Amino acid sequence: MVARITTFAFEGIEAKPVDVQVHMAGGNQPAFMIVGLPDKAVGESRERVRAAFSAIGLALPPKRITVNLAPADLPKEGSHYDLAIALGIMAVMGLIPPDVLDGHAALGELSLDGQLGPTLGVLPAAIRTLELDMRLICPEVCGPEAAWAGEGNLAAPSLLSLINHFTGRTPLSCSPPGAISEVEHYSDLRDVKGQDGAKRVLEIAAAGGHNLLFCGPPGSGKSMLAKRLPGLLPPLSARELLEVSQIQSVSGLLERGKLSHSRPFRAPHHSASMAALVGGGIRARPGEVSLAHHGVLFLDELPEFTSQVLDSLRQPLEDGEVTISRANRHVKYPARFQLIAAMNPCRCGGGGEAGPCRKGPKCAQQYQARLSGPFIDRIDLFFDTPAVTAKDLNLPPAREGSADVAERVTHARAVQIQRYETARSPTSRGLNVDASVDLLEQHATPDEAGKAMLTDAANKLSLSARGYHRVLKVARTIADLAGSEQVRRLHIAEALSYRRRPADPSSADRVGRLAF
Ligand SMILES: [Zn+2]
């Protein structure tokens, strides 16, 4: 006879149904085979199932057991196939009634004593199970996570508890969804003394979702400012929360099914590998860019990242998703993040407490040349943070804190989301930064004086088409913050002041100035 149950293979955060078919036949040579493109971890499932059975006093019958994982051309990776395989074998052995598995999907790794341990990807699997009109069986620790998708999932602590459930001895109860944690408390912008210009540019970045680079001497408060960006952003919407939580689920970051409305803030070290940053590795796990989806990716000491790593960010910065190439397929993860970066003007950190750089303009030029043109082109806002002076430190605390700025940001974002509502693509955030050229022409055409100024600047700064549109996007955000329907000359002028200056060797001697 053949027993069947559904489980899932993960491609990115997509859970693809896999039909687990277990066949048992007599024969003089007992065997236990798993076929259907299993990887090593799936193959090892045999040993875990065998041990788990013997731990609860059962033995595999001396027959030929064949487990087929269909479709056979879809690669199967990971240890979460254990539970479905074990349940299928229990059905063909008659330990549970053969038809009880109908309409069930199962996901979970078995330990050698028959317990079910935590497993990755329960949330996307539970959502998919619901779409298939099925019921998910998962480990007890993952019950609160599965319950977010809907009621009726079965969370079991062990294999034995499932036998007792399906034979009607001790029915399992459904677990309630995990907690929603409070929105995280971020450090306040009020703690940053002085730096009014930097705070203004941070507000613009927050309002329009723009990418931002701070350049300034050590100790000028670049990281301090960057870390305050998430505190200026509105909490995740319901749709965003679902996407972010699914990525966290396949990465094993959802502790006991606890979700959070806080926007992700990821700050990988500059020694991070490409796989760590954009995803990859043995099971093509999501990288930092995907863990920062709908949130902020902060890269401190930007030129210290390898150029290969920085260039790999270009695709997600443009498309809002990342494609990881594997030997036989491609895996996609969402990666719509906001980039905020910081750097010293030169490698030796001149301009800070140690005084100006002693190596001359070459030092800054060489350091800044480590960032490629196409990468720099994707940054909308450049800001030179001046060194903090004793006078700044003696200033009284700023009157405005993060909450005041966040209020303006939330308002400006609401205006944008409403504006782009009808033309919104599924991956767009509905912010100015995502607006297409058509939409920009429709909504961000400046007044005559603004147009003249932009045309003039485009020639002088030799702006690329992308650069031109980026200025318009930033100007649109500045106008939104000012509550102006029309983009005016004033808004264009401010947006242009945040453009990178064209390479000019004479400007590099002024430490603290960006000149690519
Ligand atoms: Zn230097």
Side-chain angles (χ1 to χ4, degrees):
M1 68 166 289
V2 175
R4 310 176 91 116
I5 183 166
T6 301
T7 187
F8 299 97
F10 293 97
E11 282 209 346
I13 55 168
E14 196 189 342
K16 295 205 157 179
V18 170
D19 190 23
V20 180
Q21 303 154 2
V22 182
H23 176 254
M24 192 162 71
N28 28 20
Q29 280 187 328
F32 183 4
M33 285 176 297
I34 299 177
V35 297
L37 226 53
D39 80 343
K40 199 153 183 292
V42 182
E44 286 168 350
S45 194
R46 287 181 306 190
E47 302 312 317
R48 286 191 296 273
V49 169
R50 209 190 292 274
F53 268 54
S54 80
I56 53 173
L58 299 167
L60 291 180
K63 295 186 174 173
R64 286 183 74 81
I65 300 171
T66 310
V67 177
N68 181 33
L69 307 173
D73 57 347
L74 182 71
K76 323 291 184 310
E77 296 176 326
S79 51
H80 63 269
Y81 294 87
D82 292 2
L83 182 57
I85 293 171
L87 284 169
I89 294 174
M90 290 199 303
V92 288
M93 284 172 68
L95 295 168
I96 52 174
D99 52 349
V100 291
L101 296 180
D102 291 350
H104 282 86
L107 195 73
E109 180 184 326
L110 277 173
S111 64
L112 300 184
D113 59 359
Q115 301 292 310
L116 286 163
T119 188
L120 305 180
V122 168
L123 184 61
I127 292 170
R128 192 77 183 101
T129 307
L130 197 73
E131 287 167 1
L132 296 169
D133 205 14
M134 291 178 137
R135 199 171 186 200
L136 184 73
I137 308 168
C138 69
E140 191 182 34
V141 284
C142 303
E145 187 179 328
W148 281 111
E151 290 172 1
N153 298 310
L154 279 182
S158 64
L159 215 48
L160 192 61
S161 69
L162 280 168
I163 298 180
N164 289 335
H165 173 81
F166 284 123
T167 51
R169 265 171 255 157
T170 328
L172 289 167
S173 55
C174 303
S175 60
I180 282 253
S181 61
E182 298 276 311
V183 171
E184 223 169 286
H185 184 76
Y186 296 102
S187 318
D188 203 280
L189 209 52
R190 199 171 266 136
D191 314 332
V192 183
K193 300 229 172 152
Q195 298 291 18
D196 289 343
K199 288 181 189 170
R200 165 74 181 160
V201 77
L202 203 60
E203 177 174 340
I204 296 169
H210 304 288
N211 302 321
L212 163 67
L213 171 60
F214 280 131
C215 177
S220 57
K222 304 180 297 282
S223 324
M224 211 176 159
L225 285 157
K227 284 176 187 154
R228 280 154 179 78
L229 176 59
L232 308 182
L233 303 172
L236 293 171
S237 68
R239 200 187 76 168
E240 290 170 339
L241 177 68
L242 189 70
E243 288 176 24
V244 169
S245 305
Q246 289 190 71
I247 299 171
Q248 289 170 345
S249 173
V250 295
S251 314
L253 297 178
L254 282 187
E255 210 181 308
R256 293 214 66 101
K258 199 170 169 187
L259 308 192
S260 167
H261 277 287
S262 298
R263 288 195 182 260
F265 180 81
R266 306 290 302 184
H269 188 253
H270 57 70
S271 61
S273 67
M274 204 160 104
L277 212 69
V278 295
I282 303 170
R283 304 246 166 85
R285 290 276 164 78
E288 293 290 341
V289 294
S290 298
L291 295 173
H293 184 55
H294 288 310
V296 175
L297 180 72
F298 173 44
L299 302 183
D300 202 2
E301 310 287 359
L302 187 67
E304 299 287 343
F305 284 82
T306 66
S307 56
Q308 194 195 11
V309 163
L310 290 183
D311 283 341
S312 67
L313 291 178
R314 278 159 49 187
Q315 187 221 354
L317 278 171
E318 207 62 31
D319 307 334
E321 62 177 17
V322 63
T323 309
I324 304 165
S325 298
R326 309 288 312 274
N328 44 5
R329 69 211 159 102
H330 300 287
V331 177
K332 278 194 169 117
Y333 282 108
R336 175 91 44 209
F337 59 92
Q338 179 172 9
L339 175 71
I340 182 161
M343 62 182 281
N344 293 331
C346 74
R347 183 159 212 174
C348 52
E353 280 176 4
C357 172
R358 276 166 294 184
K359 293 184 191 162
K362 267 240 157 80
C363 187
Q365 275 166 11
Q366 278 171 357
Y367 196 52
Q368 294 175 13
R370 295 171 69 135
L371 304 175
S372 75
F375 177 77
I376 282 294
D377 227 17
R378 284 164 174 82
I379 294 178
D380 313 284
L381 301 162
F382 293 82
F383 193 82
D384 295 315
T385 48
V388 176
T389 60
K391 200 176 128 216
D392 291 328
L393 295 176
N394 287 328
L395 285 173
R399 259 184 303 142
E400 275 209 328
S402 292
D404 307 283
V405 181
E407 206 181 304
R408 290 196 295 268
V409 167
T410 304
H411 181 73
R413 281 189 168 223
V415 170
Q416 296 166 54
I417 289 169
Q418 199 183 5
R419 178 186 302 139
Y420 302 123
E421 185 72 69
T422 47
R424 194 167 163 177
S425 75
T427 57
S428 157
R429 288 162 290 187
L431 298 177
N432 288 332
V433 72
D434 302 327
S436 64
V437 176
D438 285 353
L439 284 175
L440 278 179
E441 272 171 14
Q442 219 175 314
H443 299 287
T445 302
D447 59 6
E448 286 307 315
K451 224 184 267 177
M453 182 183 220
L454 185 55
T455 315
D456 186 41
N459 290 331
K460 278 191 187 143
L461 298 172
S462 28
L463 285 182
S464 63
R466 184 185 279 133
Y468 182 91
H469 289 123
R470 291 209 171 237
V471 173
L472 267 187
K473 288 175 185 179
V474 172
R476 182 63 265 176
T477 302
I478 295 169
D480 287 336
L481 277 169
S484 168
E485 187 78 23
Q486 169 89 59
V487 176
R488 299 186 193 284
R489 185 177 184 275
L490 181 77
H491 309 135
I492 295 282
E494 187 176 354
L496 282 169
S497 73
Y498 303 129
R499 280 309 294 175
R500 67 190 168 102
R501 283 158 294 283
D504 169 12
S506 67
S507 68
D509 57 357
R510 283 175 288 157
V511 169
R513 305 291 287 173
L514 267 178
F516 293 101

